[in-house]
Amino acid sequence: MLIAALPTGPLSANCYVLAPAPGGECVIVDPGQDAAPQVAKALAEHGLTPAAILLTHGHFDHVWSAAELGDRHEAPVYLHGADRGLLTAPAAGVDAGFAAQLQMLLGPGPYPEPARLMQLEGGENLTLAGMEFEVEHTPGHTPGSVVYVTRTEDGVPVMFAGDLVFAGSIGRTDFPGGDGDAMNTSLAKAVLARGDDTQILPGHGPATTVERERATNPYLRGVAG
């Protein structure tokens, strides 16, 4: 499996381009601010054509380029329905102080939805670009946060975790729509209940594994306790 990790925007949100192999269809995960040029470079380098875009949640640093890329490639964009409103009202997902800065950063709008927006509920099994993805609803960071789990050709689970869990940390729950209790439940079900060999590709920072986070992440130790 080919996976290109592309940190994008001022918050260094991870965008991922993945495909079974070069020279065919691919899936893009979380194309945020300034993602389009990097994605275009990765597509050209590996001879890839986007079949779909997967969004882990609706925060602007993960979705900003989704409409642009989805419409350009006529690709469906998948997002949980509970976060749909954040596509057109990104300031609704942050606190009042950040909202004022956000409008300066993004401009006054309007902010478009992708032409082919596909709303998720959680529990779906998607077949995209020759790969299978399990969708799990993981509220806490936002009401519509999800993770996508696929497997390599060797059967190793790979979880695109968004802002659910990071190497050594977890997603914040103090923004509008955040919920600490829901986050703990999501971490227990989506992370701690998985096998240690599961690879975690988070929304920010380096890749990690369930084994490493189970052993070293203080927030997960608190949930397990």
Side-chain angles (χ1 to χ4, degrees):
M1 179 179 287
L2 183 160
I3 301 178
L6 312 171
T8 64
L11 298 182
S12 295
N14 289 328
C15 171
Y16 298 97
V17 177
L18 64 151
E25 290 188 323
C26 69
V27 170
I28 302 168
V29 180
D30 282 0
Q33 283 181 285
D34 305 322
Q38 293 193 63
V39 169
K41 183 178 179 181
L43 297 180
E45 179 180 352
H46 300 291
L48 297 171
T49 301
I53 295 173
L54 303 179
L55 303 178
T56 59
H57 63 292
H59 281 158
F60 74 98
D61 53 325
H62 296 263
V63 308
W64 184 248
S65 299
E68 176 185 353
L69 289 170
D71 293 356
R72 178 184 302 167
H73 296 285
E74 299 183 344
V77 176
Y78 292 83
L79 174 70
H80 193 281
D83 277 9
R84 179 176 181 174
L86 296 177
L87 294 174
T88 54
V94 298
D95 59 34
F98 194 7
Q101 300 176 40
L102 194 60
Q103 187 169 22
M104 295 177 60
L105 180 66
L106 302 180
Y111 311 111
E113 284 191 349
R116 298 181 61 192
L117 180 62
M118 312 295 290
Q119 292 192 76
L120 299 167
E121 296 181 355
E124 293 89 349
N125 290 287
L126 307 176
T127 301
L128 303 166
M131 299 173 287
E132 303 292 329
F133 295 87
E134 303 169 17
V135 183
E136 183 168 352
H137 185 205
T138 54
H141 180 61
T142 67
S145 291
V146 302
V147 300
Y148 301 94
V149 181
T150 188
R151 292 181 179 271
T152 69
E153 56 271 26
D154 298 326
V156 176
V158 179
M159 179 168 67
F160 294 90
D163 287 0
L164 174 67
V165 62
F166 311 118
S169 189
I170 62 172
R172 60 191 297 173
T173 60
D174 57 329
F175 277 160
D179 185 320
D181 290 338
M183 174 64 89
N184 288 340
T185 298
S186 294
L187 289 166
K189 293 171 59 179
V191 180
L192 292 174
R194 296 195 181 276
D196 282 347
D197 63 336
T198 301
Q199 304 292 306
I200 299 174
L201 300 184
H204 301 268
T208 185
T209 64
V210 167
E211 180 179 29
R212 184 177 300 130
E213 297 313 302
R214 194 192 308 276
T216 65
N217 190 317
Y219 300 94
L220 289 183
R221 288 205 297 269
V223 171

